[in-house]
Amino acid sequence: KAAALPTRKTLEDFDWDAQPATRQQIAALASGAFLTEARNVVLLGPPGTGKTHLATALGIVAARAGHRVLFATATDWVTRLTDAHRQGRLPQELARLRRYGLIIVDEVGYLPIEQDAANLFFQLVSSRYEHASLILTSNLPFSSWGNVFGDQAVAAAMIDRIVHHADVLTLKGASYRLRGRGIDSLPS
Ligand code: ADP
Ligand code: MG
């Protein structure tokens, strides 16, 4: 399931007027220095604010700089890790994934993650900590991740490792998808 980038969304395509507050932060990330420092990027904000677009654009930056990149939704990562665990090859899978300079986890928070799967996801985060970068996107603030992962302690330990060396960007405003359609916002 985890594969190459799903679309060709670039930083050049991004309309900064819609997200002026994060422009400086993204410009700094565009150098790609976060990858060699094994830093993470967390993109938070409501639907349609450009999280997947920016995650993809930073993935393209990484690929251009010669890093190997994998992109999948949180749900797909969980499926992949669960399969590896069932087959008794989780350590090998985590070791293999460590060879990727960037792993993108899109859409943390749209679908709940079972407690067992949350433990596997925690192991993915741990295995990359201070070794290789993660980009995560979520519609939910960190304070709600305990509910997503069904375990407050695991979520807290995971967030602790993710944000220790990370840039956290909070995107704001109305959905870019609904622009000019006379729709202000969707129910959250
Ligand atoms: P999210 O992942 O936050 O729900 P997306 O990144 O998928 O939102 O954005 C929804 C659509 O709107 C995509 O087609 C994306 O390319 C476009 N989009 C969002 N924000 C911007 C922006 N600031 N400039 C240009 N296109 C944008
Ligand atoms: Mg998205």
Side-chain angles (χ1 to χ4, degrees):
K1 292 252 187 69
L5 299 164
T7 53
R8 285 211 48 85
K9 304 278 185 179
T10 65
L11 291 177
E12 292 75 30
D13 300 332
F14 200 72
D15 168 11
W16 297 103
D17 293 340
Q19 295 295 338
T22 53
R23 187 181 192 136
Q24 299 288 335
Q25 270 176 299
I26 295 285
L29 292 169
S31 75
F34 73 101
L35 296 152
T36 47
E37 295 163 7
R39 291 175 61 82
N40 303 318
V41 179
V42 185
L43 298 159
L44 302 175
T49 48
K51 301 182 297 298
T52 301
H53 185 133
L54 287 173
T56 305
L58 291 172
I60 291 170
V61 165
R64 281 183 188 152
H67 298 275
R68 298 172 76 199
V69 181
L70 282 177
F71 179 106
T73 63
T75 304
D76 286 347
W77 280 114
V78 159
T79 301
R80 182 184 181 124
L81 295 171
T82 302
D83 287 350
H85 181 57
R86 284 208 189 104
Q87 294 164 16
R89 51 173 186 81
L90 184 66
Q92 293 92 317
E93 177 69 357
L94 293 175
R96 199 181 72 78
L97 292 174
R98 274 159 63 99
R99 297 204 290 269
Y100 287 80
L102 176 61
I103 279 184
I104 301 173
V105 182
D106 200 22
E107 298 184 352
V108 173
Y110 284 142
L111 297 174
I113 293 171
E114 303 268 331
Q115 209 171 341
D116 288 351
N119 284 311
L120 299 178
F121 196 76
F122 172 76
Q123 291 189 57
L124 174 67
V125 169
S126 285
S127 85
R128 300 184 68 75
Y129 176 62
E130 297 188 332
H131 178 80
S133 297
L134 282 169
I135 296 179
L136 298 104
T137 83
S138 182
N139 61 314
L140 296 175
F142 289 126
S143 56
S144 298
W145 286 27
N147 297 330
V148 174
F149 291 98
D151 187 314
Q152 301 293 337
V154 168
M158 190 181 333
I159 293 163
D160 195 56
R161 282 161 181 74
I162 292 167
V163 305
H164 182 200
H165 310 290
D167 291 287
V168 180
L169 284 68
T170 305
L171 305 180
K172 298 198 163 69
S175 171
Y176 203 85
R177 297 188 182 99
L178 303 179
R179 280 190 146 203
R181 300 195 191 175
I183 307 168
D184 288 336
S185 65
L186 293 171
S188 51

